[in-house]
Amino acid sequence: MLKPRAILTLFILILLLSPLLLPTYQITLLNYIGLYALVVLGLVLLTGVGGMTSFGQAAFVGLGAYASAYLTTTEQLPDWLAWAGHSPWLALLVGIALTAVVALILGALTLRLSGHYLPLGTIAWGISLYYLFGTVEQLGGHTGVSNLPVISLFGIALDKGEKMFYLIWAVLLLAIVITQNLLNSREGRAIRALKGGQLMAEAMGVNTFRSKLVIFLISALFAAVSGWLYAHTQRFINPTPFGLSMGIDYLFMALIGGVASVWGALVGAGVLTMLKQWLQDLLPHLLGSDGQYETIIFGLLIIAVMHRSPGGLWPILMRFIPVKLKSRQLLQEDGPAVRLDQRRPPRQGDLILEAQQVTRRFGGLIANNNMSLQVHAGEIVALIGPNGAGKSTMFNQLSAVDTPTSGEVRFLGQSLKGKSSREVAAMGMSRTFQHVKLLPGMTVLENVAIGAHLRGERGVLSAALRLERAEEQSLLQEARYQLQRVGLGDYLYEEAGSLALGQQRILEIARALCADPCLLLLDEPAAGLRFKEKQALAELLQKLRGEGMAILLVEHDMDFVMGLVDRIVVMEFGEKIAEGLPQDIQTNPAVLEAYLGGAE
């Protein structure tokens, strides 16, 4: 069995030898594959990982290409741009800066859209930029710009496709390394949480809009660099390669290769480029030269691939490549198990959370009506009631996921009015969810490490260059500590989606603890747990209470609640009908009637 590193070494060796062994025509195709793969790599981040569909990547390719074409071919540049004239490398810097500014503006305008409005928005600005390239006279109009200068590197003129090949593929491999580094980091976990886990991520302190903007910007910059390379490879550009049809092709490449796979970008670009070329060469001999038969057949083949393998070709290839894959050991097992700094706990008995006359209306429906409760440091409070009583809605008011129609929630003496769940998480409140919210394709360790997001500081650039490894190890060590604390220490590298439901609920508690909270909100934590697991959970919560943590839980298991909590608040039809010690609640007539069905 081959190791992944051996496969990669062999691949790089083949790349190094290709210009020496293959004819010029084949090298030209490989150059196009490398250029396309660089753009598709950005789409893997944006669409496959982040869950945002963009049809406008070709326009960003055009920005990089036209910025360089204008700067390197215009005789009289404005004074403020004269310094960058006639140098492809300086033009690259200007193109990157221009693309970054445009991407930030377009991202701020479109990334807040959801559903079908987001891809429609990308189509709109993609078409606008395409027509801009063909309309501005200084950019050559639809005729284009020719006689772009050759790129020189270390005194060597890259004036042939065989020479540009090395630069194109070196840039692509560097982009792949940067992307993998980013995804395997604190920032990467935040990015990976965008697809299907935004509510959970915000509750753990992740700024999801910022994460969207980050990958939108990175994908735009990858496209701009591809455009710069394309312009100086062709030494001629016009608007045609930067239109909507090419943007659709880039998406097809991502889908065919595997939209969630970094190496799938290369597979998709290669397969689509070669397939198009073969069809264009073969079909005229079979069907005649008239008509766009290759487009028809190409479309049918794409539908077939998507039907047979929705995840793309890369997962299929991985089944047949004899690679010895190990579970990725994220932790340095021989490293010191140093815990992160912890917040100063409140004093025993301090008022931590207070809800005052909280009412939440949804149109004519009143989900919570004048609800009041308090939670103090070092106590466990249960919020119980029949199904539909409004408990989960109340949880959302307390954790700033939702905003009360009237009334007020105060946490650590501060009003939560106007605060987001992310800001509340930073203050020291952490929660689990009624319906488990985790990222099933990520490991148990990585899922829990999301809870420590706010306890790290290193940013995107540090992650891309692997300069944050010490902090990353600290975050992962903290995640492992919390998993061992809750009894899941043997499942670090298992996929979270493979755990039983009860284990997934325990994982959520470990993730919440990883945020180092002073208040823990648990929504039905014992649901799906076996008897011994409930006992272990109760012991853990009692230990946390002894450490001064405040705990508020919603639970239906009365045996679990009665033997654990200090006080109980009972709800019915959105209102509080009783509050007191467990033994008092058990004999309260209103509770017996409403919640226990009048049982003696």
Side-chain angles (χ1 to χ4, degrees), residues 145-158:
V145 182
S146 57
N147 298 320
L148 273 71
V150 170
I151 295 175
S152 293
L153 184 62
F154 303 118
I156 301 172
L158 307 182

Side-chain angles (χ1 to χ4, degrees), residues 304-351:
V305 170
M306 293 297 97
H307 178 71
R308 300 295 299 177
S309 178
L313 297 178
W314 181 252
I316 296 177
L317 290 176
M318 291 306 295
R319 298 178 197 165
F320 298 101
I321 297 176
V323 180
K324 183 180 180 182
L325 292 173
K326 294 182 179 179
S327 296
R328 192 159 48 89
Q329 299 296 314
L330 301 173
L331 275 169
Q332 295 176 359
E333 299 297 339
D334 56 348
V338 179
R339 292 200 57 202
L340 296 172
D341 292 336
Q342 297 172 273
R343 75 175 73 243
R344 184 177 179 180
R347 291 177 301 178
Q348 194 83 6
D350 281 356
L351 179 60

Side-chain angles (χ1 to χ4, degrees), residues 8 98 116 219 265 276 297 314 404 420 434 457 507 530 542 565 578 585:
L8 181 60
L98 174 65
H116 59 276
S219 67
K276 268 192 168 183
I297 294 178
W314 181 252
S420 66
Q434 180 182 12
E457 298 177 351
L507 183 155
R530 295 186 290 268
Q542 288 167 346
V565 306
I585 294 299

Side-chain angles (χ1 to χ4, degrees), residues 2 47 62 106 182 190 193 231 241 245 270 286 306 335 351 387 411 427 447 464 468 496 519 526 542 553 566 572:
L2 295 173
T47 302
L106 293 177
L182 177 61
S245 62
L286 298 177
M306 293 297 97
L351 179 60
N387 290 330
F411 176 51
M427 294 170 64
N447 266 275
E468 39 56 272
L519 172 64
Q542 288 167 346
L553 61 88
D566 300 294
E572 184 185 24

Side-chain angles (χ1 to χ4, degrees), residues 378-509:
E379 75 167 343
I380 303 176
V381 177
L383 183 63
I384 69 171
N387 290 330
K391 304 182 298 297
S392 292
T393 303
M394 188 64 188
F395 246 45
N396 288 337
Q397 314 306 308
L398 298 175
S399 58
V401 170
D402 199 3
T403 303
T405 306
S406 62
E408 185 179 43
V409 177
R410 301 184 68 82
F411 176 51
L412 297 176
Q414 296 185 44
S415 173
L416 299 189
K417 187 175 183 180
K419 293 187 182 296
S420 66
S421 58
R422 183 175 68 253
E423 293 171 316
V424 173
M427 294 170 64
M429 183 190 299
S430 198
R431 65 166 296 180
T432 64
F433 296 87
Q434 180 182 12
H435 303 291
V436 173
K437 296 187 184 299
L438 46 77
L439 303 173
M442 284 172 57
T443 65
V444 169
L445 182 67
E446 291 174 298
N447 266 275
V448 173
I450 292 174
H453 183 81
L454 286 173
R455 301 173 76 179
E457 298 177 351
R458 305 301 292 270
V460 175
L461 186 60
S462 295
L465 301 178
R466 288 183 67 86
L467 300 177
E468 39 56 272
R469 291 295 95 184
E471 179 185 270
E472 175 69 0
Q473 284 301 307
S474 297
L475 296 175
L476 294 175
Q477 291 283 3
E478 179 70 20
R480 177 171 66 175
Y481 169 79
Q482 299 298 348
L483 282 165
Q484 291 172 338
R485 195 179 189 185
V486 301
L488 292 178
D490 295 332
Y491 298 90
L492 299 183
Y493 299 110
E494 300 292 330
E495 285 192 355
S498 69
L499 298 182
L501 176 60
Q503 292 174 314
Q504 291 180 3
R505 290 193 178 278
I506 297 297
L507 183 155
E508 280 206 319
I509 294 174

Side-chain angles (χ1 to χ4, degrees), residues 193-217:
L194 294 176
K195 193 174 182 179
Q198 290 191 48
L199 179 62
M200 174 273 295
E202 285 281 339
M204 295 297 112
V206 174
N207 186 334
T208 55
F209 180 74
R210 175 185 173 275
S211 295
K212 290 179 181 180
L213 203 56
V214 163
I215 56 175
F216 188 76
L217 177 60

